[in-house]
Amino acid sequence: MSRHLILVGLPGSGKTTVGRLLALRLQTPFADLDEDIEHQVGRSIPQIFEEMGEGKFRELERSAMDRALSAAPQVIAPGGGWVAQPGAVERVADRGILIYLRTSASTAARRVASEGGRPLLESPDPGLVMARLLETREPFYARAEVSVSTEERTPAEVADHVAQLARTKAGW
């Protein structure tokens, strides 16, 4: 039986881009939890952080994950910090496969530099902030069943690789 495919990694690792492509390849739905939260609350992620705080955002994120997990197996992309929240990995262990989209802090910082809208990265030195995020989150990312490098690969190449793994490892 298929399980959810949950993509984890730093902001800029490709969770949303690869997730959309992966869902197309597997002909399954895609859930971007940040988009789901924005739709539910009617505010952008930066507005939620500013007006409600990170604690409220994390609560909304847990609820969004619970909703996604209650649906048929699909590709799910939570925010980069979801995996580091207490009990997050344990809550999905029997219903999904964590796939770590691994990238360096410098590559991730370069990828998100032009996007904006990343409350935890608003700093004079986003590369340093990203390096600190990677240092604190790496032990959680390392708990993933599958680790795939996104360095020097196109999103399509990563999606193809993950789709092949999903077919063999997760019954897709």
Side-chain angles (χ1 to χ4, degrees), residues 4-43:
H4 296 282
L5 302 176
I6 304 166
L7 306 178
V8 298
L10 286 173
S13 62
K15 295 180 300 293
T16 298
T17 303
V18 169
R20 289 186 197 291
L21 294 169
L22 178 60
L24 286 172
R25 282 157 176 73
L26 298 174
Q27 299 179 356
T28 193
F30 172 66
D32 180 308
L33 297 191
D34 283 351
E35 287 180 6
D36 292 350
I37 292 166
E38 288 178 337
H39 179 74
Q40 177 192 6
V41 178
R43 291 181 173 85

Short mmCIF file of all heavy atoms in Angstrom, two decimals, residues 4-43:
data_model
loop_
_atom_site.label_atom_id
_atom_site.label_comp_id
_atom_site.label_asym_id
_atom_site.label_seq_id
_atom_site.Cartn_x
_atom_site.Cartn_y
_atom_site.Cartn_z
N HIS A 4 2.12 8.29 2.20
CA HIS A 4 2.42 9.67 1.83
C HIS A 4 3.92 9.82 1.62
O HIS A 4 4.72 9.16 2.29
CB HIS A 4 1.98 10.62 2.94
CG HIS A 4 0.51 10.63 3.18
ND1 HIS A 4 -0.37 11.31 2.37
CD2 HIS A 4 -0.23 10.06 4.15
CE1 HIS A 4 -1.60 11.16 2.84
NE2 HIS A 4 -1.55 10.39 3.91
N LEU A 5 4.29 10.70 0.72
CA LEU A 5 5.69 11.07 0.51
C LEU A 5 5.85 12.48 1.06
O LEU A 5 5.25 13.42 0.53
CB LEU A 5 6.05 11.02 -0.97
CG LEU A 5 5.83 9.67 -1.65
CD1 LEU A 5 6.12 9.78 -3.14
CD2 LEU A 5 6.70 8.60 -1.01
N ILE A 6 6.61 12.63 2.13
CA ILE A 6 6.75 13.90 2.82
C ILE A 6 8.15 14.43 2.58
O ILE A 6 9.14 13.84 3.02
CB ILE A 6 6.46 13.73 4.32
CG1 ILE A 6 5.06 13.12 4.52
CG2 ILE A 6 6.60 15.07 5.04
CD1 ILE A 6 4.79 12.59 5.91
N LEU A 7 8.22 15.54 1.85
CA LEU A 7 9.50 16.14 1.47
C LEU A 7 9.95 17.12 2.54
O LEU A 7 9.21 18.07 2.87
CB LEU A 7 9.37 16.85 0.13
CG LEU A 7 8.82 16.02 -1.03
CD1 LEU A 7 8.70 16.87 -2.29
CD2 LEU A 7 9.69 14.79 -1.28
N VAL A 8 11.14 16.90 3.08
CA VAL A 8 11.67 17.80 4.10
C VAL A 8 13.02 18.34 3.64
O VAL A 8 13.68 17.75 2.80
CB VAL A 8 11.80 17.10 5.48
CG1 VAL A 8 10.43 16.65 5.99
CG2 VAL A 8 12.77 15.92 5.43
N GLY A 9 13.39 19.48 4.18
CA GLY A 9 14.66 20.10 3.85
C GLY A 9 14.60 21.59 4.09
O GLY A 9 13.55 22.13 4.44
N LEU A 10 15.73 22.22 3.93
CA LEU A 10 15.82 23.66 4.13
C LEU A 10 14.90 24.42 3.18
O LEU A 10 14.56 23.91 2.11
CB LEU A 10 17.26 24.13 3.85
CG LEU A 10 18.31 23.82 4.89
CD1 LEU A 10 19.69 24.22 4.35
CD2 LEU A 10 18.03 24.55 6.20
N PRO A 11 14.54 25.66 3.54
CA PRO A 11 13.92 26.51 2.54
C PRO A 11 14.88 26.60 1.36
O PRO A 11 16.09 26.75 1.54
CB PRO A 11 13.81 27.87 3.25
CG PRO A 11 13.83 27.54 4.72
CD PRO A 11 14.72 26.33 4.83
N GLY A 12 14.37 26.47 0.16
CA GLY A 12 15.23 26.51 -1.01
C GLY A 12 15.76 25.16 -1.44
O GLY A 12 16.47 25.05 -2.44
N SER A 13 15.41 24.10 -0.72
CA SER A 13 15.88 22.77 -1.10
C SER A 13 15.08 22.20 -2.27
O SER A 13 15.52 21.25 -2.92
CB SER A 13 15.82 21.80 0.09
OG SER A 13 14.48 21.64 0.53
N GLY A 14 13.91 22.77 -2.53
CA GLY A 14 13.11 22.33 -3.66
C GLY A 14 11.84 21.59 -3.29
O GLY A 14 11.23 20.95 -4.15
N LYS A 15 11.42 21.68 -2.04
CA LYS A 15 10.25 20.91 -1.61
C LYS A 15 9.01 21.18 -2.46
O LYS A 15 8.35 20.25 -2.90
CB LYS A 15 9.95 21.18 -0.13
CG LYS A 15 11.04 20.70 0.81
CD LYS A 15 10.72 20.99 2.26
CE LYS A 15 10.52 22.44 2.59
NZ LYS A 15 11.74 23.28 2.46
N THR A 16 8.71 22.45 -2.70
CA THR A 16 7.52 22.79 -3.47
C THR A 16 7.71 22.49 -4.95
O THR A 16 6.86 21.85 -5.58
CB THR A 16 7.14 24.27 -3.25
OG1 THR A 16 6.83 24.45 -1.86
CG2 THR A 16 5.94 24.66 -4.10
N THR A 17 8.80 22.94 -5.52
CA THR A 17 9.03 22.73 -6.95
C THR A 17 9.13 21.25 -7.28
O THR A 17 8.46 20.76 -8.20
CB THR A 17 10.32 23.46 -7.39
OG1 THR A 17 10.19 24.85 -7.06
CG2 THR A 17 10.56 23.31 -8.87
N VAL A 18 9.96 20.53 -6.54
CA VAL A 18 10.11 19.09 -6.78
C VAL A 18 8.80 18.38 -6.43
O VAL A 18 8.39 17.46 -7.15
CB VAL A 18 11.28 18.52 -5.95
CG1 VAL A 18 11.29 17.00 -5.97
CG2 VAL A 18 12.61 19.07 -6.47
N GLY A 19 8.14 18.81 -5.37
CA GLY A 19 6.89 18.18 -4.97
C GLY A 19 5.83 18.23 -6.05
O GLY A 19 5.15 17.24 -6.31
N ARG A 20 5.68 19.39 -6.69
CA ARG A 20 4.69 19.51 -7.77
C ARG A 20 5.04 18.57 -8.94
O ARG A 20 4.17 17.90 -9.49
CB ARG A 20 4.63 20.95 -8.28
CG ARG A 20 3.99 21.92 -7.32
CD ARG A 20 3.82 23.30 -7.94
NE ARG A 20 3.60 24.33 -6.97
CZ ARG A 20 2.52 24.48 -6.22
NH1 ARG A 20 1.53 23.62 -6.33
NH2 ARG A 20 2.41 25.47 -5.36
N LEU A 21 6.31 18.55 -9.32
CA LEU A 21 6.75 17.67 -10.41
C LEU A 21 6.59 16.20 -10.04
O LEU A 21 6.16 15.38 -10.86
CB LEU A 21 8.21 17.97 -10.76
CG LEU A 21 8.49 19.34 -11.37
CD1 LEU A 21 9.99 19.60 -11.43
CD2 LEU A 21 7.85 19.47 -12.74
N LEU A 22 6.92 15.87 -8.81
CA LEU A 22 6.80 14.48 -8.34
C LEU A 22 5.35 14.03 -8.36
O LEU A 22 5.04 12.92 -8.81
CB LEU A 22 7.40 14.38 -6.93
CG LEU A 22 7.32 13.03 -6.25
CD1 LEU A 22 8.06 11.96 -7.04
CD2 LEU A 22 7.89 13.14 -4.83
N ALA A 23 4.46 14.89 -7.90
CA ALA A 23 3.03 14.56 -7.90
C ALA A 23 2.54 14.30 -9.33
O ALA A 23 1.75 13.38 -9.56
CB ALA A 23 2.23 15.66 -7.23
N LEU A 24 3.00 15.11 -10.28
CA LEU A 24 2.63 14.88 -11.69
C LEU A 24 3.13 13.53 -12.17
O LEU A 24 2.40 12.79 -12.83
CB LEU A 24 3.19 15.99 -12.57
CG LEU A 24 2.51 17.35 -12.49
CD1 LEU A 24 3.30 18.39 -13.27
CD2 LEU A 24 1.08 17.26 -13.01
N ARG A 25 4.37 13.20 -11.84
CA ARG A 25 4.95 11.93 -12.29
C ARG A 25 4.23 10.74 -11.68
O ARG A 25 4.10 9.70 -12.32
CB ARG A 25 6.44 11.88 -11.96
CG ARG A 25 7.27 12.70 -12.95
CD ARG A 25 8.59 13.12 -12.36
NE ARG A 25 9.45 13.82 -13.31
CZ ARG A 25 9.26 15.05 -13.75
NH1 ARG A 25 8.20 15.74 -13.35
NH2 ARG A 25 10.10 15.61 -14.59
N LEU A 26 3.78 10.88 -10.45
CA LEU A 26 3.10 9.78 -9.76
C LEU A 26 1.58 9.85 -9.93
O LEU A 26 0.87 9.00 -9.40
CB LEU A 26 3.47 9.78 -8.28
CG LEU A 26 4.95 9.55 -7.98
CD1 LEU A 26 5.23 9.72 -6.48
CD2 LEU A 26 5.41 8.18 -8.46
N GLN A 27 1.10 10.88 -10.60
CA GLN A 27 -0.33 11.09 -10.81
C GLN A 27 -1.10 11.05 -9.50
O GLN A 27 -2.06 10.29 -9.34
CB GLN A 27 -0.87 10.08 -11.83
CG GLN A 27 -0.20 10.21 -13.17
CD GLN A 27 -0.70 9.20 -14.17
OE1 GLN A 27 -1.52 8.33 -13.88
NE2 GLN A 27 -0.20 9.29 -15.40
N THR A 28 -0.65 11.91 -8.59
CA THR A 28 -1.26 11.98 -7.27
C THR A 28 -1.35 13.44 -6.84
O THR A 28 -0.66 14.29 -7.40
CB THR A 28 -0.42 11.14 -6.26
OG1 THR A 28 -1.16 10.97 -5.06
CG2 THR A 28 0.91 11.79 -5.95
N PRO A 29 -2.17 13.75 -5.86
CA PRO A 29 -2.26 15.14 -5.40
C PRO A 29 -0.97 15.61 -4.72
O PRO A 29 -0.15 14.81 -4.26
CB PRO A 29 -3.40 15.11 -4.38
CG PRO A 29 -4.19 13.89 -4.70
CD PRO A 29 -3.19 12.91 -5.25
N PHE A 30 -0.84 16.93 -4.66
CA PHE A 30 0.28 17.58 -3.99
C PHE A 30 -0.28 18.54 -2.96
O PHE A 30 -1.18 19.33 -3.27
CB PHE A 30 1.15 18.33 -4.99
CG PHE A 30 2.20 19.19 -4.35
CD1 PHE A 30 3.24 18.61 -3.63
CD2 PHE A 30 2.15 20.57 -4.43
CE1 PHE A 30 4.22 19.40 -3.03
CE2 PHE A 30 3.12 21.36 -3.85
CZ PHE A 30 4.15 20.77 -3.14
N ALA A 31 0.24 18.48 -1.74
CA ALA A 31 -0.17 19.40 -0.68
C ALA A 31 1.02 20.23 -0.23
O ALA A 31 1.98 19.69 0.32
CB ALA A 31 -0.74 18.62 0.51
N ASP A 32 0.96 21.53 -0.49
CA ASP A 32 1.96 22.47 0.01
C ASP A 32 1.36 23.06 1.28
O ASP A 32 0.39 23.83 1.22
CB ASP A 32 2.22 23.57 -1.04
CG ASP A 32 3.26 24.56 -0.57
OD1 ASP A 32 3.11 25.11 0.55
OD2 ASP A 32 4.22 24.81 -1.31
N LEU A 33 1.90 22.69 2.43
CA LEU A 33 1.29 23.09 3.69
C LEU A 33 1.30 24.59 3.91
O LEU A 33 0.35 25.13 4.48
CB LEU A 33 1.94 22.36 4.87
CG LEU A 33 1.80 20.83 4.88
CD1 LEU A 33 2.25 20.27 6.21
CD2 LEU A 33 0.41 20.37 4.53
N ASP A 34 2.34 25.28 3.46
CA ASP A 34 2.35 26.74 3.59
C ASP A 34 1.19 27.36 2.81
O ASP A 34 0.50 28.25 3.30
CB ASP A 34 3.69 27.34 3.12
CG ASP A 34 4.81 27.16 4.13
OD1 ASP A 34 4.55 26.71 5.27
OD2 ASP A 34 5.96 27.46 3.77
N GLU A 35 0.97 26.88 1.59
CA GLU A 35 -0.16 27.38 0.79
C GLU A 35 -1.48 27.06 1.47
O GLU A 35 -2.40 27.89 1.48
CB GLU A 35 -0.13 26.79 -0.61
CG GLU A 35 0.95 27.36 -1.49
CD GLU A 35 0.95 26.75 -2.89
OE1 GLU A 35 0.05 25.95 -3.22
OE2 GLU A 35 1.88 27.08 -3.65
N ASP A 36 -1.61 25.85 2.02
CA ASP A 36 -2.83 25.47 2.71
C ASP A 36 -3.10 26.39 3.90
O ASP A 36 -4.24 26.82 4.12
CB ASP A 36 -2.76 24.02 3.19
CG ASP A 36 -2.76 23.02 2.05
OD1 ASP A 36 -3.01 23.41 0.89
OD2 ASP A 36 -2.51 21.83 2.31
N ILE A 37 -2.05 26.69 4.66
CA ILE A 37 -2.19 27.57 5.83
C ILE A 37 -2.60 28.97 5.38
O ILE A 37 -3.50 29.58 5.97
CB ILE A 37 -0.88 27.59 6.64
CG1 ILE A 37 -0.63 26.22 7.28
CG2 ILE A 37 -0.91 28.70 7.70
CD1 ILE A 37 0.78 26.03 7.81
N GLU A 38 -1.94 29.50 4.35
CA GLU A 38 -2.28 30.83 3.86
C GLU A 38 -3.74 30.89 3.42
O GLU A 38 -4.45 31.86 3.71
CB GLU A 38 -1.36 31.23 2.70
CG GLU A 38 0.05 31.53 3.12
CD GLU A 38 0.97 31.88 1.97
OE1 GLU A 38 0.69 31.48 0.82
OE2 GLU A 38 1.99 32.55 2.23
N HIS A 39 -4.19 29.86 2.73
CA HIS A 39 -5.58 29.81 2.28
C HIS A 39 -6.54 29.74 3.47
O HIS A 39 -7.56 30.44 3.50
CB HIS A 39 -5.78 28.60 1.35
CG HIS A 39 -7.17 28.46 0.85
ND1 HIS A 39 -7.72 29.29 -0.11
CD2 HIS A 39 -8.16 27.60 1.21
CE1 HIS A 39 -8.97 28.94 -0.33
NE2 HIS A 39 -9.26 27.92 0.45
N GLN A 40 -6.21 28.91 4.43
CA GLN A 40 -7.07 28.74 5.61
C GLN A 40 -7.19 30.02 6.43
O GLN A 40 -8.28 30.41 6.84
CB GLN A 40 -6.54 27.61 6.49
CG GLN A 40 -7.35 27.43 7.76
CD GLN A 40 -6.67 26.53 8.78
OE1 GLN A 40 -5.54 26.12 8.62
NE2 GLN A 40 -7.37 26.26 9.85
N VAL A 41 -6.07 30.70 6.65
CA VAL A 41 -6.04 31.87 7.52
C VAL A 41 -6.34 33.17 6.76
O VAL A 41 -6.77 34.15 7.36
CB VAL A 41 -4.67 31.96 8.24
CG1 VAL A 41 -4.56 33.19 9.12
CG2 VAL A 41 -4.44 30.70 9.08
N GLY A 42 -6.10 33.17 5.45
CA GLY A 42 -6.33 34.38 4.67
C GLY A 42 -5.22 35.40 4.84
O GLY A 42 -5.43 36.60 4.64
N ARG A 43 -4.04 34.93 5.22
CA ARG A 43 -2.86 35.80 5.39
C ARG A 43 -1.65 35.07 4.84
O ARG A 43 -1.60 33.85 4.81
CB ARG A 43 -2.62 36.09 6.87
CG ARG A 43 -3.65 36.97 7.51
CD ARG A 43 -3.27 37.21 8.98
NE ARG A 43 -4.13 38.17 9.63
CZ ARG A 43 -5.29 37.89 10.19
NH1 ARG A 43 -5.72 36.64 10.19
NH2 ARG A 43 -6.00 38.83 10.76
#
